[in-house]
Amino acid sequence: MVVAVIVFISLFLFVFLAIKFATADGDFTLTSKGGAKRDQIEDKVFWITGASRGIGEILAKQLAKLGAKLIISARNEAELERVKRELTGKHVPDGVKVLPLDLASGEDRLKDAVEKAESFFLNAGVDYMIHNAAVERPKTTALDVTEESLKETFNVNVLGTLTLTRLLAPYMLRRGKGHFVVMSSAAGKTPAPGQALYSASKHALNGYFHTLRSELCQKGIQVTIVCPGPIETSNASGAASSENKASREKRVSSERCAELTIVAATHGLKEAWISYQPVLAVMYLVQYMPTIGYWLMDKIGGNRVEAAARKGNTYSLSLLFGKKKAS
C-alpha cells in the first residue's frame, strides 16, 4: 500500500512538472539567469571542438558576435574554413584560428594541437575549452553494441576528450584560471534505452569532469557540464532533417541550445540541463527520486527501443502505454 501511494504521488509530481513547465527549455536555475554575461566573453579565447557543424558551428557564430577570439577544431578542415568565412564579430577574421583535430589521433598529436592553441594569441592562452565533439551512433540495444562501435565512441567521446583536458589543464593552472565547458547529454544523467553506448560515454564524462572541478576549483579551474536532451539538427541548407520531422519529436533548436550553453558557462553554472518536457521531468525524477525515476525508465525501455527501430518518437509520454499508443 505504501509503495502504491509513493508511486501515485511520484507520477502526480511528474505530470505536474510536465504540465507546469511545458514551455520550459532548461532547468530552473539555468532559465532564471537571463542572458549571457558579455564581459565573460569579450576578448576571451574560446577553443571549440566539433566546430565544423551542428551546435559547435552555432556556438562559434554566437561567440564571435559577442566579441570572443576563437580556435575552431574538427577533422574536416574545409568545413572549418567555411565556418570561419561565415563568422562576424569584433575579432573576425584575424582572431579566428582554424586548428584541424582528430580526437582519436593519439596523445602526441593532441599535445601538438594544445601547443599550437596556446601559441596562437600573443600573451593569451585558452580561456574556455568547449568539449563539443562527439560520436553518436544509431539507436540499438545494449547487447547489439559491437567492439568497433565501442572503440570508436569511447576514443572520441571519452579518451580523446580526457587526454586533451589533461594536456591543456597545466597551462590554465599556471595562469590560475581556465574553464572547461563539456557538452554532455541527458543520456549522461538518466538511462537511455537504445543508446547504451552513447549514454555510457556521457556518464563517464560527467564523472570525470565533476571530479576534476572538485580537485581544481580552488586553483582557478571551472567546469560547466551541459546536458541537452533532444536537439533539432539541420542539414546543409538549414532545413530540419527529415529524420527529425518523421519522428515528431519536440526538440530544442540548435541555436537555443548554443545560447543556453553560453549562458550556463558565463554564469559559472556547474551543470545545466537543456530540453523540453517530458525529458526535463524525467531528469528531475531520476536526480531527486531515483527509485521512481528508474522504475519509470524500466517501464518505457523496451517500447523506446521498438519506437527507435520504427523511427518513431522516442521521447513521448505515450511510451508508457506500449507500442500501439507510442507509434
Side-chain angles (χ1 to χ4, degrees), residues 13 44 62 71 105 121 153 201 239 271 299 318 321:
L13 174 63
K44 301 293 194 302
Q62 292 187 5
I71 304 167
S105 61
F121 300 103
T153 300
S201 71
E271 186 170 291
K299 289 285 289 182
S318 60
F321 307 111

Side-chain angles (χ1 to χ4, degrees), residues 33-41 62-63 66 256 258-267:
K33 294 299 182 182
K37 292 184 176 180
R38 186 155 187 163
D39 65 319
Q40 297 296 313
I41 302 171
Q62 292 187 5
L63 287 167
L66 291 169
R256 179 60 173 165
E259 178 187 349
L260 289 174
T261 296
I262 295 170
V263 170
T266 59
H267 284 269

Side-chain angles (χ1 to χ4, degrees), residues 203-225:
H203 274 83
L205 285 183
N206 290 358
Y208 178 86
F209 280 100
H210 278 309
T211 301
L212 180 77
R213 184 189 59 249
S214 295
E215 292 177 354
L216 301 181
C217 62
Q218 295 184 19
K219 297 180 180 180
I221 304 302
Q222 297 183 70
V223 173
T224 296
I225 297 177

